[in-house]
Amino acid sequence: MLNAASALERMLYANPNWHSSRLLYAAVLYRLDDPKAAMRELSLLKGRDLNPQQTETYTRYLSEFQTPIVKTIGFGMAAGAGTNGGLNPVKPISGNFALGLRGDNNAGNALTDEGFGFSNRGDVSLHAQGRLRLVKPISADETITARATIGGQIRRHETFNEADYDVIDLQAGVSARPTGKGRLSFDIDGRRVNVSGEKYLEQIGPRITYGENISDNTRVVVSLSAYSQNYSVLPNASLEDERDGIKTRFQLGMQTKLSDNRKLTVSAGHDTKTAEIVAFAYSGPHASVSYEHSFESKTYLKTQLRVRQLNFRGNLDSSGEARKDTRVSFRQSIGLPLSKIAPSANLENVDLEFGFNHNERLSNFNSNDFGNSGVDVKLKFSF
């Protein structure tokens, strides 16, 4: 990227009236985290004789480049995890919403990360999720920003209402660029989960994150979080309140643009969970990988895989052997913009996505094993 900026600068020195090159130079400067220099280049084009395409680009850049650059990244596929992409500017206000229909062959045991002993039962469910994010600079040089995020999801089953759930996530924090290269963030995260209309989990705690671009296309992030968890009993799970405790997570991740249309995200880390009884306390590693391929038609393919190893301190039965679980989640999806289906409609930010999902829990106690497979279709809107 720096080489490209130098080459464009030399070209403009030789030919200062090459408007398309100056527009490209402004875009490169913005990607190099120098919006003031980018705006300076745009100011040189004010009042110039631009063609219609250049005028459209100039107008769009004027709007976009006044947005502070705030780079974030998200890894893994846990609910609520950030998925902004990490290498792109974040708008002061952004969000997304999805509405989908899903079918599962084992709907109850796909409910949460824990199993409630529901019998295998296929069902169809309506699924909705959304997220709204606000970012605001709080320092004169715009290197310190405050941000807040609210998100949530709901699922309602056709007949199996014991597996209905709601999730509400709240996040608030500040971030700064202490070295000019990396970004240090501190957040407070909160979550509430309701199962079949009843409160199941409330958790809150701090998360500290540091991310840095190590090249033009690659970013690494390390994070540490600790959450106080409070569980409530459910009609079909009378011991759930014994899960109360502290959950800590360490995670190291990397995201890289393999090319203009291919993106790879990987992460690995370690979880530790305390509980009121040892049968619910655990520790163990986790890892995830996500690959996204976009095509010129704006159709995209996404592959996501997440694996966790949970080594419990004990077990609920009297065998004396501690329980060990391996938990796997996989999703393969394909999406396309609705504008390709209905080109006359203004649907540039709306995608239609089809997905296949599989969740598996393999335990050293066969009674704890379960698997669930399903398909879904979603309408996704972002702004």
Side-chain angles (χ1 to χ4, degrees):
M1 189 73 74
L2 289 172
N3 291 336
S6 297
L8 286 166
E9 187 175 15
R10 290 193 298 270
M11 293 166 60
L12 287 168
Y13 182 80
N15 187 355
N17 294 320
W18 195 351
H19 303 326
S20 58
S21 293
R22 193 170 300 280
L23 285 169
L24 180 58
Y25 184 40
V28 170
L29 289 171
Y30 186 68
R31 287 294 304 276
L32 288 172
D33 206 0
D34 195 349
K36 292 183 179 179
M39 290 296 293
R40 182 187 65 238
E41 294 300 316
L42 291 181
S43 69
L44 297 176
L45 294 173
K46 185 177 181 180
R48 295 299 184 97
D49 186 19
L50 305 179
N51 65 37
Q53 184 177 0
Q54 292 170 342
T55 301
E56 188 277 331
T57 303
Y58 170 77
T59 303
R60 176 162 53 87
Y61 283 179
L62 276 179
S63 175
E64 292 179 0
F65 292 0
Q66 294 181 66
T67 299
I69 297 179
V70 183
K71 293 180 178 178
T72 62
I73 195 166
F75 296 101
M77 279 142 280
T83 54
N84 173 63
L87 299 173
N88 299 314
V90 176
K91 300 176 182 178
I93 301 177
S94 61
N96 55 68
F97 177 78
L99 180 65
L101 190 65
R102 173 170 170 163
D104 293 285
N105 66 2
N106 191 356
N109 281 326
L111 175 62
T112 69
D113 203 27
E114 311 298 339
F116 293 144
F118 293 139
S119 60
N120 289 2
R121 181 170 178 176
D123 206 347
V124 175
S125 60
L126 182 67
H127 183 234
Q129 62 187 112
R131 177 176 174 269
L132 178 65
R133 179 181 174 87
L134 307 175
V135 178
K136 182 176 178 59
I138 56 176
S139 65
D141 59 2
E142 300 183 349
T143 60
I144 303 176
T145 60
R147 62 175 184 260
T149 303
I150 181 171
Q153 56 179 310
I154 64 172
R155 177 164 293 164
R156 294 293 181 267
H157 291 79
E158 182 180 18
T159 57
F160 197 13
N161 58 15
E162 294 94 334
D164 292 346
Y165 68 83
D166 313 291
V167 179
I168 298 175
D169 288 306
L170 297 172
Q171 301 169 355
V174 295
S175 64
R177 293 199 303 271
T179 64
K181 290 182 62 179
R183 179 167 289 277
L184 181 66
S185 304
F186 178 81
D187 296 273
I188 298 295
D189 299 340
R191 165 173 286 192
R192 173 165 175 155
V193 180
N194 293 341
V195 175
S196 192
E198 300 289 335
K199 183 184 76 172
Y200 173 61
L201 167 65
E202 288 183 339
Q203 74 174 31
I204 189 169
R207 172 171 49 88
I208 187 168
T209 306
Y210 180 76
E212 183 171 319
N213 291 345
I214 59 174
S215 72
D216 290 342
N217 295 319
T218 302
R219 184 171 178 82
V220 294
V221 171
V222 60
S223 66
L224 179 65
S225 59
Y227 300 124
S228 173
Q229 296 184 317
N230 181 267
Y231 288 82
S232 300
V233 299
L234 296 173
N236 55 324
S238 59
L239 293 177
E240 291 303 296
D241 58 340
E242 302 293 345
R243 298 184 188 274
D244 291 356
I246 304 296
K247 180 179 179 179
T248 60
R249 164 167 288 192
F250 170 79
Q251 186 163 281
L252 176 66
M254 180 185 73
Q255 184 184 71
T256 183
K257 288 181 65 176
L258 303 174
S259 66
D260 288 341
N261 61 342
R262 295 182 300 134
K263 182 172 65 178
L264 177 68
T265 303
V266 296
S267 70
H270 192 273
D271 293 338
T272 301
K273 169 78 169 73
T274 66
E276 296 291 330
I277 58 177
V278 294
F280 292 146
Y282 63 80
S283 64
H286 62 85
S288 66
V289 59
S290 173
Y291 173 76
E292 181 175 350
H293 190 127
S294 301
F295 301 91
E296 291 184 3
S297 62
K298 295 187 178 180
T299 300
Y300 60 85
L301 288 173
K302 287 184 181 179
T303 303
Q304 299 170 318
L305 176 66
R306 184 167 184 257
V307 181
R308 299 174 65 203
Q309 178 66 42
L310 275 60
N311 302 313
F312 288 86
R313 311 280 191 222
N315 193 32
L316 287 176
D317 67 13
S318 57
S319 66
E321 181 181 1
R323 174 180 158 191
K324 298 181 184 296
D325 285 2
T326 300
R327 304 188 180 185
V328 180
S329 62
F330 172 81
R331 177 173 172 82
Q332 179 66 63
S333 58
I334 180 172
L336 70 160
L338 277 187
S339 59
K340 296 296 180 182
I341 301 175
S344 60
N346 185 19
L347 299 171
E348 288 296 329
N349 296 324
V350 183
D351 292 335
L352 180 64
E353 183 176 289
F354 301 89
F356 168 79
N357 309 286
H358 181 75
N359 300 290
E360 191 85 21
R361 181 173 68 189
L362 302 174
S363 176
N364 58 333
F365 291 88
N366 293 338
S367 60
N368 291 321
D369 290 351
F370 78 77
N372 171 71
S373 295
V375 295
D376 62 47
V377 57
K378 296 180 181 179
L379 275 177
K380 302 174 66 177
F381 169 72
S382 60
F383 61 92

